[in-house]
Amino acid sequence: MSVLVDDEENFSSDFLASEMCQNLDIKEINSESKLDEFDVMIYLPNTDFYNPKVTDPARIAEDISDELDKFRDTINDVISRGFKGKIILDAPHDEVFVYFAAYFSGFDVNNIMGLGTLPQEMILREKLVTEFKVSDEDINVNTLGLSTNNLVAWSRVYIGPATLLSYIASENNNFDSKLITDVQEMISDPQIVTNLMIQAKAIIKLLNYLSKSESLICSVVSLNKENDKFSLNLSPKLINHNGIIQSINLQLSDDETKEVDDDLKWATDIIENIKEGKAHGKKD
């Protein structure tokens, strides 16, 4: 794997660590670098704009606007140097970056994705593996919503052949229903969105499946495109080296459906506020 980074000083520890890796080459990008042979661009913005206590769409749009300006410049730059691969967005409100990545680049929406709730999904899986003392293959989980406001489809969580809820409801079980409350509280921690180790593990997992034919089902955030209009898609996706293969529609409860719909409306309101603001949507 060859990796280009935009600032050697910021990635100095990674350069040092790469000396231990025979198959990893890290180089600092320069204005002459051609990018036509690179498969994936990972965008890791400065996250100073993120404040989990701010929920007003207009305020969030204002806070994120400067970073979107930098993002647009980056997209224009890499495209001008021949990049035509997949784009992964890792940031709070990655759904906003996903939307504008498509808007700025014109790339196929199936090649643009944000980490979404994949980090939370990974944490949930590991927690259940530990609690139930089973293998990773025995766990089937789905986290939904946004990276900044997620939910678990508890009725769709399986431990082996049975749902988690059936284990908790059984008179013979050793598991307290408080487990659900504790786990939901844990994966709702806003620090997950900016935790470098957690986010890095999620990126690595996604890269593994984007580079091989084996597929992964996970809840990355993406877009639908119809009649040249974009709309956010928060459903789980089937992903492999071809990008996003298809969305998977889960049968959710009325409350879960409402919560996902509320997340979609909130994220769309942020995007609309940005578009109505400083013209970040213009390709110039």
Side-chain angles (χ1 to χ4, degrees):
M1 177 181 290
S2 296
V3 178
L4 293 181
V5 297
D6 61 359
D7 188 334
E8 184 172 355
E9 183 177 349
N10 284 344
F11 291 89
S12 59
S13 62
D14 302 282
F15 277 90
L16 179 61
S18 70
E19 297 298 327
M20 298 176 62
C21 306
Q22 295 181 9
N23 299 314
L24 176 63
D25 182 27
I26 300 180
K27 297 178 181 179
E28 184 174 12
I29 200 169
N30 61 65
S31 58
E32 305 301 321
S33 300
K34 294 297 182 183
L35 306 177
D36 53 306
E37 294 185 357
F38 279 79
D39 299 312
V40 180
M41 166 188 167
I42 304 171
Y43 192 71
L44 307 167
N46 186 316
T47 59
D48 289 345
F49 65 83
Y50 175 56
N51 183 346
K53 296 181 180 179
V54 176
T55 58
D56 176 61
R59 171 70 184 281
I60 294 171
E62 181 180 349
D63 291 345
I64 205 171
S65 62
D66 288 344
E67 192 58 47
L68 278 174
D69 283 336
K70 298 175 186 176
F71 181 50
R72 177 176 56 182
D73 291 341
T74 300
I75 290 291
N76 290 340
D77 179 51
V78 299
I79 290 177
S80 71
R81 285 189 275 158
F83 178 75
K84 51 185 181 292
K86 300 175 180 64
I87 300 176
I88 297 176
L89 291 309
D90 176 17
H93 301 294
D94 57 351
E95 68 280 355
V96 175
F97 287 93
V98 165
Y99 182 92
F100 284 101
Y103 205 89
F104 297 151
S105 70
F107 284 10
D108 185 338
V109 294
N110 291 322
N111 288 329
I112 302 173
M113 62 198 78
L115 284 189
T117 62
L118 176 57
Q120 289 86 352
E121 193 168 280
M122 292 170 66
I123 292 174
L124 172 59
R125 179 182 296 276
E126 291 304 317
K127 179 66 173 175
L128 294 179
V129 164
T130 301
E131 289 288 335
F132 284 83
K133 296 179 173 58
V134 295
S135 71
D136 185 73
E137 290 77 16
D138 291 323
I139 303 291
N140 181 20
V141 300
N142 292 286
T143 54
L144 303 173
L146 306 168
S147 62
T148 53
N149 187 41
N150 62 81
L151 70 146
V152 179
W154 291 109
S155 61
R156 312 294 299 181
V157 175
Y158 280 79
I159 314 294
T163 66
L164 169 64
L165 297 180
S166 68
Y167 283 94
I168 292 177
S170 172
E171 295 179 357
N172 300 319
N173 84 77
N174 297 316
F175 306 102
D176 194 322
S177 59
K178 189 174 181 291
L179 172 65
I180 289 180
T181 303
D182 292 343
V183 172
Q184 182 66 69
E185 184 176 328
M186 179 178 65
I187 67 170
S188 297
D189 188 337
Q191 294 184 79
I192 291 175
V193 188
T194 54
N195 184 288
L196 296 180
M197 181 177 290
I198 293 172
Q199 298 298 310
K201 290 194 70 172
I203 289 174
I204 290 169
K205 182 168 187 173
L206 199 52
L207 284 175
N208 279 336
Y209 286 90
L210 287 174
S211 62
K212 57 187 180 182
S213 57
E214 186 179 348
S215 297
L216 170 71
I217 296 176
C218 64
S219 296
V220 295
V221 62
S222 67
L223 297 172
N224 296 325
K225 183 179 181 182
E226 186 173 355
N227 298 325
D228 291 328
K229 291 186 177 181
F230 300 123
S231 59
L232 292 173
N233 184 332
L234 304 184
S235 301
K237 313 296 187 310
L238 185 69
I239 293 169
N240 64 18
H241 66 285
N242 290 316
I244 296 173
I245 305 305
Q246 70 178 76
S247 296
I248 299 171
N249 294 320
L250 292 179
Q251 294 296 320
L252 302 176
S253 69
D254 291 343
D255 287 344
E256 290 168 343
T257 299
K258 182 181 184 306
E259 192 163 349
V260 173
D261 288 346
D262 288 346
D263 281 349
L264 273 171
K265 183 181 184 306
W266 183 58
T268 302
D269 285 347
I270 295 171
I271 291 169
E272 291 303 316
N273 271 276
I274 293 170
K275 291 169 68 175
E276 293 169 5
K278 293 171 58 180
H280 299 280
K282 291 184 178 179
K283 297 181 182 180
D284 293 343

Coordinates of all heavy atoms in Angstrom, one line a residue, residues 18-87:
S18 N 5.9 3.6 9.9 CA 6.0 2.9 8.6 C 7.3 2.2 8.3 O 7.4 1.3 7.5 CB 5.7 3.8 7.4 OG 6.7 4.8 7.3
E19 N 8.4 2.6 9.1 CA 9.7 2.0 8.9 C 9.6 0.5 9.3 O 10.5 -0.3 9.0 CB 10.7 2.7 9.8 CG 11.0 4.1 9.3 CD 11.5 4.2 7.9 OE1 12.2 3.3 7.5 OE2 11.2 5.2 7.2
M20 N 8.6 0.1 10.1 CA 8.5 -1.3 10.6 C 7.6 -2.1 9.6 O 7.5 -3.3 9.8 CB 7.8 -1.3 11.9 CG 8.6 -0.6 13.0 SD 7.7 -0.6 14.6 CE 7.5 -2.4 14.9
C21 N 7.1 -1.4 8.6 CA 6.1 -2.1 7.7 C 6.7 -2.3 6.3 O 6.9 -1.2 5.6 CB 4.8 -1.4 7.6 SG 4.1 -1.0 9.2
Q22 N 7.0 -3.5 5.8 CA 7.6 -3.7 4.5 C 6.7 -3.3 3.4 O 7.2 -3.0 2.3 CB 8.0 -5.2 4.4 CG 9.1 -5.6 5.4 CD 9.5 -7.1 5.2 OE1 9.1 -7.7 4.2 NE2 10.3 -7.6 6.1
N23 N 5.4 -3.4 3.6 CA 4.5 -3.2 2.5 C 3.7 -1.9 2.6 O 2.6 -1.8 1.9 CB 3.5 -4.4 2.5 CG 4.2 -5.7 2.2 OD1 5.0 -5.8 1.4 ND2 3.8 -6.7 3.0
L24 N 4.2 -1.0 3.4 CA 3.6 0.3 3.5 C 4.6 1.4 3.2 O 5.6 1.5 3.7 CB 3.0 0.5 4.9 CG 2.4 1.9 5.2 CD1 1.2 2.1 4.4 CD2 2.1 2.0 6.7
D25 N 4.2 2.2 2.2 CA 5.0 3.3 1.8 C 4.3 4.6 2.0 O 3.2 4.8 1.4 CB 5.4 3.1 0.3 CG 6.4 4.2 -0.2 OD1 7.1 4.8 0.6 OD2 6.3 4.5 -1.4
I26 N 4.8 5.5 2.8 CA 4.1 6.8 3.1 C 5.0 7.9 2.5 O 6.2 8.0 2.8 CB 3.9 7.1 4.6 CG1 3.0 6.0 5.2 CG2 3.3 8.4 4.8 CD1 2.7 6.1 6.6
K27 N 4.4 8.8 1.7 CA 5.1 9.9 1.1 C 4.3 11.2 1.2 O 3.1 11.1 1.3 CB 5.4 9.7 -0.4 CG 6.3 8.5 -0.7 CD 6.4 8.3 -2.2 CE 7.3 7.1 -2.5 NZ 7.4 6.9 -4.0
E28 N 5.0 12.3 1.3 CA 4.3 13.6 1.4 C 3.9 14.0 0.0 O 4.7 13.9 -1.0 CB 5.2 14.7 2.0 CG 4.4 16.0 2.2 CD 5.2 17.0 2.9 OE1 6.4 16.8 3.1 OE2 4.6 18.1 3.3
I29 N 2.7 14.4 -0.1 CA 2.1 14.8 -1.4 C 2.8 16.1 -1.8 O 3.2 17.0 -1.0 CB 0.6 14.9 -1.4 CG1 0.0 14.9 -2.8 CG2 0.2 16.2 -0.7 CD1 -1.5 14.7 -2.7
N30 N 2.9 16.4 -3.1 CA 3.4 17.7 -3.6 C 2.5 18.1 -4.8 O 1.7 17.3 -5.3 CB 4.9 17.6 -4.0 CG 5.2 16.7 -5.1 OD1 4.7 16.8 -6.2 ND2 5.9 15.6 -4.7
S31 N 2.7 19.3 -5.2 CA 1.8 19.9 -6.3 C 2.0 19.2 -7.6 O 1.2 19.4 -8.5 CB 2.1 21.4 -6.4 OG 3.5 21.6 -6.7
E32 N 3.1 18.4 -7.8 CA 3.3 17.7 -9.0 C 2.8 16.3 -9.0 O 2.9 15.6 -10.0 CB 4.8 17.8 -9.3 CG 5.4 19.2 -9.3 CD 4.8 20.1 -10.3 OE1 4.4 19.6 -11.4 OE2 4.6 21.3 -10.0
S33 N 2.4 15.8 -7.9 CA 2.0 14.4 -7.8 C 0.8 14.0 -8.6 O -0.2 14.7 -8.6 CB 1.7 14.0 -6.3 OG 2.8 14.2 -5.5
K34 N 1.0 13.0 -9.5 CA -0.1 12.5 -10.3 C -0.9 11.5 -9.4 O -0.3 10.7 -8.8 CB 0.4 11.9 -11.6 CG 1.0 12.9 -12.5 CD 0.0 14.0 -13.0 CE 0.6 14.9 -13.9 NZ -0.3 16.0 -14.3
L35 N -2.2 11.6 -9.5 CA -3.1 10.7 -8.6 C -3.9 9.8 -9.4 O -4.8 9.2 -8.8 CB -3.9 11.7 -7.8 CG -3.2 12.7 -6.9 CD1 -4.2 13.6 -6.2 CD2 -2.2 12.1 -6.0
D36 N -3.7 9.6 -10.7 CA -4.6 8.8 -11.5 C -4.5 7.3 -11.1 O -5.4 6.5 -11.4 CB -4.3 9.0 -13.0 CG -2.8 8.7 -13.3 OD1 -2.0 9.4 -12.7 OD2 -2.5 7.9 -14.2
E37 N -3.4 6.8 -10.5 CA -3.3 5.4 -10.1 C -3.7 5.1 -8.7 O -3.6 4.0 -8.3 CB -1.8 5.0 -10.4 CG -1.4 5.0 -11.8 CD 0.0 4.4 -12.1 OE1 0.6 4.1 -11.0 OE2 0.4 4.4 -13.2
F38 N -4.2 6.1 -8.0 CA -4.6 5.9 -6.6 C -6.0 5.5 -6.5 O -6.9 6.0 -7.2 CB -4.3 7.1 -5.7 CG -2.9 7.2 -5.3 CD1 -1.9 7.7 -6.2 CD2 -2.5 6.8 -4.0 CE1 -0.6 7.8 -5.8 CE2 -1.2 6.9 -3.6 CZ -0.2 7.4 -4.5
D39 N -6.3 4.5 -5.6 CA -7.6 3.9 -5.6 C -8.6 4.7 -4.7 O -9.8 4.7 -4.9 CB -7.5 2.5 -5.1 CG -6.7 1.6 -6.1 OD1 -6.9 1.7 -7.3 OD2 -5.8 0.9 -5.6
V40 N -8.1 5.2 -3.6 CA -8.9 5.8 -2.5 C -8.4 7.1 -2.0 O -7.2 7.2 -1.8 CB -9.1 4.8 -1.3 CG1 -10.0 5.4 -0.3 CG2 -9.7 3.5 -1.8
M41 N -9.2 8.1 -1.8 CA -8.9 9.3 -1.1 C -9.6 9.3 0.2 O -10.8 9.1 0.3 CB -9.3 10.5 -1.9 CG -9.3 11.8 -1.1 SD -10.1 13.2 -2.0 CE -10.2 14.4 -0.8
I42 N -8.9 9.4 1.3 CA -9.5 9.5 2.7 C -9.4 11.0 3.1 O -8.2 11.5 3.2 CB -8.8 8.6 3.7 CG1 -8.8 7.2 3.1 CG2 -9.4 8.6 5.0 CD1 -7.9 6.2 4.0
Y43 N -10.5 11.6 3.4 CA -10.5 13.0 3.9 C -10.6 13.0 5.4 O -11.7 12.6 5.9 CB -11.5 13.8 3.2 CG -11.4 15.3 3.4 CD1 -10.3 16.0 2.7 CD2 -12.2 16.0 4.2 CE1 -10.1 17.3 2.9 CE2 -12.0 17.4 4.4 CZ -11.0 18.0 3.7 OH -10.8 19.4 3.9
L44 N -9.6 13.6 6.0 CA -9.6 13.7 7.5 C -9.5 15.2 7.9 O -8.4 15.7 8.1 CB -8.5 13.0 8.1 CG -8.3 11.5 7.7 CD1 -6.9 11.0 8.1 CD2 -9.4 10.7 8.3
P45 N -10.7 15.9 7.9 CA -10.6 17.3 8.2 C -10.3 17.7 9.7 O -10.4 16.8 10.5 CB -12.0 17.8 7.9 CG -12.9 16.6 8.2 CD -12.0 15.4 7.8
N46 N -9.9 18.9 9.9 CA -9.7 19.4 11.3 C -11.2 19.4 11.9 O -12.1 19.9 11.2 CB -9.2 20.8 11.2 CG -8.9 21.4 12.6 OD1 -9.7 21.2 13.5 ND2 -7.8 22.0 12.7
T47 N -11.3 18.8 13.1 CA -12.6 18.7 13.7 C -13.0 19.7 14.7 O -13.9 19.6 15.5 CB -12.8 17.3 14.3 OG1 -11.7 17.1 15.3 CG2 -12.6 16.2 13.3
D48 N -12.2 20.9 14.7 CA -12.5 21.9 15.6 C -13.9 22.5 15.5 O -14.5 23.1 16.4 CB -11.5 23.1 15.5 CG -10.1 22.7 15.9 OD1 -10.0 21.6 16.6 OD2 -9.1 23.4 15.6
F49 N -14.5 22.3 14.3 CA -15.9 22.8 14.1 C -16.9 22.1 14.9 O -18.1 22.6 15.0 CB -16.2 22.8 12.6 CG -16.3 21.4 12.0 CD1 -17.5 20.6 12.2 CD2 -15.2 20.8 11.4 CE1 -17.6 19.4 11.7 CE2 -15.3 19.5 10.9 CZ -16.5 18.8 11.0
Y50 N -16.6 20.9 15.4 CA -17.6 20.0 16.0 C -17.8 20.3 17.5 O -16.9 20.3 18.2 CB -17.2 18.6 15.8 CG -18.1 17.6 16.5 CD1 -19.4 17.5 16.2 CD2 -17.6 16.6 17.4 CE1 -20.3 16.6 16.8 CE2 -18.4 15.7 18.0 CZ -19.8 15.7 17.7 OH -20.6 14.8 18.3
N51 N -19.1 20.6 17.8 CA -19.5 20.8 19.2 C -20.8 19.9 19.4 O -21.8 20.3 18.9 CB -19.7 22.2 19.5 CG -20.1 22.5 20.9 OD1 -20.4 21.5 21.7 ND2 -20.0 23.7 21.4
P52 N -20.7 18.8 20.1 CA -21.9 17.9 20.2 C -23.0 18.6 20.9 O -24.2 18.1 20.8 CB -21.3 16.7 21.0 CG -20.1 17.3 21.7 CD -19.5 18.3 20.8
K53 N -22.8 19.7 21.6 CA -23.9 20.4 22.3 C -24.7 21.3 21.4 O -25.8 21.8 21.7 CB -23.3 21.2 23.5 CG -22.7 20.4 24.6 CD -22.2 21.2 25.7 CE -21.6 20.3 26.8 NZ -21.0 21.2 27.9
V54 N -24.1 21.6 20.2 CA -24.8 22.4 19.2 C -25.7 21.5 18.3 O -25.2 20.7 17.6 CB -23.8 23.2 18.4 CG1 -24.5 24.0 17.3 CG2 -23.0 24.1 19.2
T55 N -27.0 21.8 18.3 CA -27.9 21.0 17.5 C -28.7 21.8 16.5 O -29.4 21.3 15.6 CB -28.9 20.3 18.4 OG1 -29.6 21.2 19.2 CG2 -28.2 19.3 19.4
D56 N -28.6 23.1 16.5 CA -29.3 24.0 15.6 C -28.7 23.9 14.2 O -27.5 24.1 14.0 CB -29.2 25.4 16.0 CG -29.9 26.4 15.0 OD1 -31.1 26.2 14.8 OD2 -29.2 27.2 14.5
P57 N -29.4 23.5 13.2 CA -28.9 23.3 11.8 C -28.2 24.5 11.3 O -27.1 24.4 10.6 CB -30.1 22.9 11.0 CG -31.0 22.3 11.9 CD -30.8 23.1 13.2
A58 N -28.7 25.7 11.5 CA -28.1 26.9 11.0 C -26.7 27.2 11.6 O -25.8 27.6 11.0 CB -29.0 28.1 11.2
R59 N -26.7 26.9 12.9 CA -25.4 27.1 13.6 C -24.3 26.1 13.2 O -23.2 26.4 13.0 CB -25.6 27.0 15.1 CG -24.4 27.0 16.0 CD -23.6 28.3 16.0 NE -22.4 28.1 16.8 CZ -22.3 28.1 18.1 NH1 -23.4 28.2 18.8 NH2 -21.1 28.0 18.7
I60 N -24.8 24.8 13.0 CA -23.8 23.8 12.6 C -23.3 24.1 11.2 O -22.1 24.0 10.8 CB -24.5 22.4 12.6 CG1 -24.8 22.0 14.0 CG2 -23.6 21.4 11.9 CD1 -25.6 20.7 14.1
A61 N -24.2 24.6 10.3 CA -23.9 25.0 8.9 C -22.8 26.1 8.9 O -21.9 26.1 8.2 CB -25.1 25.4 8.2
E62 N -23.0 27.0 9.8 CA -22.0 28.1 10.0 C -20.7 27.6 10.5 O -19.6 28.0 9.9 CB -22.6 29.2 10.9 CG -21.7 30.4 11.1 CD -22.3 31.4 12.0 OE1 -23.5 31.3 12.4 OE2 -21.5 32.4 12.4
D63 N -20.7 26.8 11.4 CA -19.5 26.3 12.0 C -18.7 25.4 11.1 O -17.4 25.4 11.1 CB -19.8 25.4 13.3 CG -20.3 26.3 14.4 OD1 -20.1 27.5 14.4 OD2 -20.8 25.7 15.4
I64 N -19.3 24.7 10.2 CA -18.7 23.8 9.3 C -18.3 24.4 7.9 O -17.5 23.8 7.2 CB -19.6 22.5 9.0 CG1 -18.8 21.3 8.6 CG2 -20.6 22.8 7.9 CD1 -19.7 20.0 8.5
S65 N -18.7 25.6 7.7 CA -18.5 26.2 6.4 C -17.1 26.4 6.0 O -16.7 26.2 4.8 CB -19.3 27.6 6.3 OG -18.7 28.5 7.3
D66 N -16.2 26.8 6.9 CA -14.8 27.1 6.5 C -14.1 25.7 6.1 O -13.3 25.7 5.2 CB -14.1 27.7 7.7 CG -14.4 29.2 7.9 OD1 -15.0 29.8 7.0 OD2 -14.1 29.7 9.0
E67 N -14.5 24.7 6.9 CA -13.9 23.4 6.5 C -14.4 22.9 5.2 O -13.6 22.3 4.4 CB -14.2 22.4 7.6 CG -13.4 21.1 7.5 CD -11.9 21.3 7.6 OE1 -11.4 22.1 8.5 OE2 -11.2 20.7 6.7
L68 N -15.6 23.2 4.8 CA -16.1 22.8 3.5 C -15.4 23.6 2.4 O -15.2 23.0 1.3 CB -17.6 23.1 3.5 CG -18.5 22.0 4.1 CD1 -20.0 22.4 4.1 CD2 -18.4 20.6 3.3
D69 N -15.1 24.8 2.7 CA -14.3 25.6 1.7 C -13.0 24.9 1.4 O -12.5 24.7 0.2 CB -14.0 27.0 2.2 CG -15.2 27.9 2.0 OD1 -16.1 27.6 1.2 OD2 -15.3 28.9 2.8
K70 N -12.3 24.4 2.4 CA -11.0 23.7 2.3 C -11.3 22.4 1.5 O -10.4 22.0 0.7 CB -10.4 23.4 3.6 CG -10.0 24.7 4.4 CD -9.5 24.3 5.8 CE -9.3 25.5 6.6 NZ -8.9 25.2 8.0
F71 N -12.4 21.8 1.9 CA -12.7 20.5 1.2 C -12.9 20.7 -0.3 O -12.4 19.9 -1.1 CB -13.9 19.9 1.9 CG -14.4 18.6 1.3 CD1 -13.5 17.5 1.2 CD2 -15.7 18.3 1.0 CE1 -13.9 16.3 0.7 CE2 -16.1 17.1 0.5 CZ -15.2 16.1 0.4
R72 N -13.6 21.7 -0.6 CA -13.9 22.0 -2.1 C -12.5 22.2 -2.8 O -12.3 21.6 -3.9 CB -14.8 23.2 -2.2 CG -15.0 23.5 -3.7 CD -16.0 24.7 -3.9 NE -15.5 25.9 -3.1 CZ -16.2 27.0 -3.1 NH1 -17.4 27.1 -3.7 NH2 -15.7 28.0 -2.4
D73 N -11.6 22.9 -2.2 CA -10.3 23.2 -2.8 C -9.6 21.8 -3.0 O -8.9 21.6 -4.0 CB -9.5 24.1 -2.0 CG -10.0 25.5 -2.0 OD1 -10.8 25.9 -2.9 OD2 -9.7 26.3 -1.0
T74 N -9.7 21.0 -2.0 CA -9.0 19.7 -2.0 C -9.5 18.8 -3.2 O -8.8 18.2 -3.9 CB -9.1 18.9 -0.7 OG1 -8.5 19.7 0.3 CG2 -8.4 17.6 -0.8
I75 N -10.9 18.8 -3.3 CA -11.5 18.0 -4.3 C -11.1 18.5 -5.7 O -10.7 17.7 -6.6 CB -13.1 18.0 -4.2 CG1 -13.5 17.3 -3.0 CG2 -13.7 17.5 -5.4 CD1 -13.4 15.8 -3.1
N76 N -11.1 19.8 -5.9 CA -10.7 20.4 -7.2 C -9.3 20.0 -7.5 O -8.9 19.8 -8.6 CB -10.9 21.9 -7.1 CG -12.4 22.3 -7.1 OD1 -13.3 21.6 -7.5 ND2 -12.6 23.6 -6.7
D77 N -8.4 20.1 -6.5 CA -7.0 19.8 -6.7 C -6.8 18.4 -7.1 O -6.1 18.1 -8.1 CB -6.3 20.1 -5.4 CG -4.8 19.9 -5.5 OD1 -4.2 20.3 -6.5 OD2 -4.2 19.2 -4.6
V78 N -7.3 17.4 -6.4 CA -7.1 16.0 -6.7 C -7.6 15.6 -8.0 O -7.1 14.8 -8.8 CB -7.5 15.0 -5.6 CG1 -6.8 15.3 -4.3 CG2 -9.1 15.1 -5.4
I79 N -8.8 16.1 -8.4 CA -9.4 15.8 -9.7 C -8.5 16.4 -10.8 O -8.3 15.8 -11.8 CB -10.8 16.4 -9.8 CG1 -11.8 15.6 -8.8 CG2 -11.3 16.3 -11.2 CD1 -13.2 16.1 -8.8
S80 N -8.0 17.6 -10.6 CA -7.1 18.2 -11.6 C -5.9 17.4 -11.9 O -5.2 17.5 -12.9 CB -6.8 19.6 -11.2 OG -5.8 19.6 -10.1
R81 N -5.5 16.5 -10.9 CA -4.3 15.7 -11.0 C -4.6 14.3 -11.3 O -3.8 13.4 -11.2 CB -3.4 15.8 -9.8 CG -2.7 17.1 -9.7 CD -1.7 17.2 -8.6 NE -2.3 17.6 -7.4 CZ -1.8 17.3 -6.2 NH1 -0.7 16.6 -6.1 NH2 -2.4 17.7 -5.1
G82 N -5.9 14.1 -11.8 CA -6.2 12.8 -12.4 C -6.9 11.8 -11.4 O -7.2 10.6 -11.9
F83 N -7.2 12.1 -10.2 CA -7.8 11.2 -9.3 C -9.2 10.8 -9.8 O -10.0 11.7 -10.1 CB -7.8 11.7 -7.9 CG -8.5 10.8 -6.9 CD1 -7.9 9.6 -6.5 CD2 -9.8 11.0 -6.4 CE1 -8.5 8.7 -5.6 CE2 -10.4 10.1 -5.6 CZ -9.8 9.0 -5.1
K84 N -9.5 9.6 -9.8 CA -10.9 9.1 -10.2 C -11.3 7.9 -9.4 O -12.1 7.1 -9.8 CB -10.9 8.8 -11.7 CG -9.8 7.9 -12.2 CD -9.9 7.7 -13.7 CE -8.8 6.8 -14.2 NZ -7.4 7.3 -14.0
G85 N -10.8 7.8 -8.2 CA -11.1 6.6 -7.4 C -12.3 6.8 -6.4 O -13.2 7.6 -6.6
K86 N -12.2 6.1 -5.3 CA -13.3 6.2 -4.3 C -12.9 7.2 -3.2 O -11.7 7.5 -3.0 CB -13.5 4.8 -3.6 CG -13.9 3.8 -4.6 CD -14.0 2.4 -4.0 CE -14.4 1.3 -5.0 NZ -13.4 1.2 -6.1
I87 N -13.9 7.8 -2.6 CA -13.7 8.8 -1.5 C -14.3 8.4 -0.2 O -15.5 8.0 -0.2 CB -14.3 10.2 -1.9 CG1 -13.7 10.7 -3.2 CG2 -14.1 11.2 -0.8 CD1 -14.3 12.0 -3.8

